Amino acid sequence: MKHGKKYVDSAKLVDRTKLYDTAEALETVIKTAVAKFDETVELHVKLGVDSRHADQQVRGAVVLPNGTGKKVRVLAICKADKEEAAKAAGADYVGLEDYVQKIQQENWMDFDVLVTTPDCMGMVGRLGRILGPRGLMPNPKAGTVTPDIGRAIEEAKAGKIEYRLDKTNIIHCPIGKVSFGAEKLGENFDALMGAIVKAKPAAAKGQYVRSCAVASTMGPSVRINPSKFI
């Protein structure tokens, strides 16, 4: 793969043979982020589990202490008695059948998080084929299907993110923007890694955290020593 001059220059700042500690890795990522926009910093963690087995799934949600740096648009699908609570919590869109039909008929997707209540899942379930592939389907484990819809909205707005394994047993998640600085990114990193480690399945054998790396949107990845998470 050919890279541009900026990427090549940034990559020279990274020692590919080294496993960095977290603070140094994040400082390096910030130095290598030279794009004209505020790049997102992502965490990539490869786990020693097999996502093909139900008892080795790793999935959950965590509120990042410093948020993600992104404005989150929340759609709340709920019945009339929950609408005021949803609006008060800051939902951008609130409704029921009208939004379900809008998504079905118009393929409307102008939201980042969908939260709903258990009594509306029968209706939201119809949207599985549309929302599922986009990672927008609400789920009780992620806290997006709950009777306390107001709290779910507040957490989403505050920077709650969902983490889950992909088919290659890797978790990819944003932990903030380059402009946050190493300290705030470090706090978000610790919160997310703490949740992932805590979510270790009982069926997982051997080394749980196989590898760990951070990278900015346009920059090279920086590998972190996974031994502290074992």
Side-chain angles (χ1 to χ4, degrees), residues 23-42:
E24 188 180 5
L26 292 171
E27 287 170 359
T28 303
V29 165
I30 292 171
K31 289 178 185 175
T32 60
V34 294
K36 293 181 180 179
F37 61 93
D38 192 7
E39 297 180 53
T40 296
V41 178
E42 290 191 347

Side-chain angles (χ1 to χ4, degrees), residues 26-69:
L26 292 171
E27 287 170 359
T28 303
V29 165
I30 292 171
K31 289 178 185 175
T32 60
V34 294
K36 293 181 180 179
F37 61 93
D38 192 7
E39 297 180 53
T40 296
V41 178
E42 290 191 347
L43 169 65
H44 307 275
V45 186
K46 185 172 180 61
L47 299 179
V49 296
D50 190 341
S51 61
R52 294 174 297 178
H53 299 291
D55 62 351
Q56 294 188 45
Q57 288 294 324
V58 179
R59 180 176 184 176
V62 60
V63 177
L64 299 180
N66 301 297
T68 62

Side-chain angles (χ1 to χ4, degrees), residues 18-147:
K18 179 179 178 179
L19 293 176
Y20 291 76
D21 63 35
T22 304
E24 188 180 5
L26 292 171
E27 287 170 359
T28 303
V29 165
I30 292 171
K31 289 178 185 175
T32 60
V34 294
K36 293 181 180 179
F37 61 93
D38 192 7
E39 297 180 53
T40 296
V41 178
E42 290 191 347
L43 169 65
H44 307 275
V45 186
K46 185 172 180 61
L47 299 179
V49 296
D50 190 341
S51 61
R52 294 174 297 178
H53 299 291
D55 62 351
Q56 294 188 45
Q57 288 294 324
V58 179
R59 180 176 184 176
V62 60
V63 177
L64 299 180
N66 301 297
T68 62
K70 177 183 176 182
K71 182 181 178 182
V72 180
R73 301 165 299 173
V74 179
L75 165 61
I77 292 183
C78 58
K79 293 183 178 178
D81 61 329
K82 297 282 187 179
E83 287 188 358
E84 285 304 316
K87 290 176 183 176
D92 298 271
Y93 311 101
V94 181
L96 186 52
E97 293 182 20
D98 51 343
Y99 281 107
V100 171
Q101 291 177 0
K102 192 174 179 70
I103 293 169
Q104 282 181 317
Q105 297 172 9
E106 303 174 25
N107 205 34
W108 178 76
M109 289 289 156
D110 291 343
F111 56 93
D112 303 298
V113 178
L114 191 161
V115 298
T116 189
T117 51
D119 57 356
C120 292
M121 271 305 292
M123 188 170 291
V124 175
R126 302 177 202 164
L127 306 173
R129 290 184 180 180
I130 301 172
L131 301 177
R134 294 173 171 83
L136 293 171
M137 190 67 183
N139 184 284
K141 288 185 178 179
T144 46
V145 179
T146 172

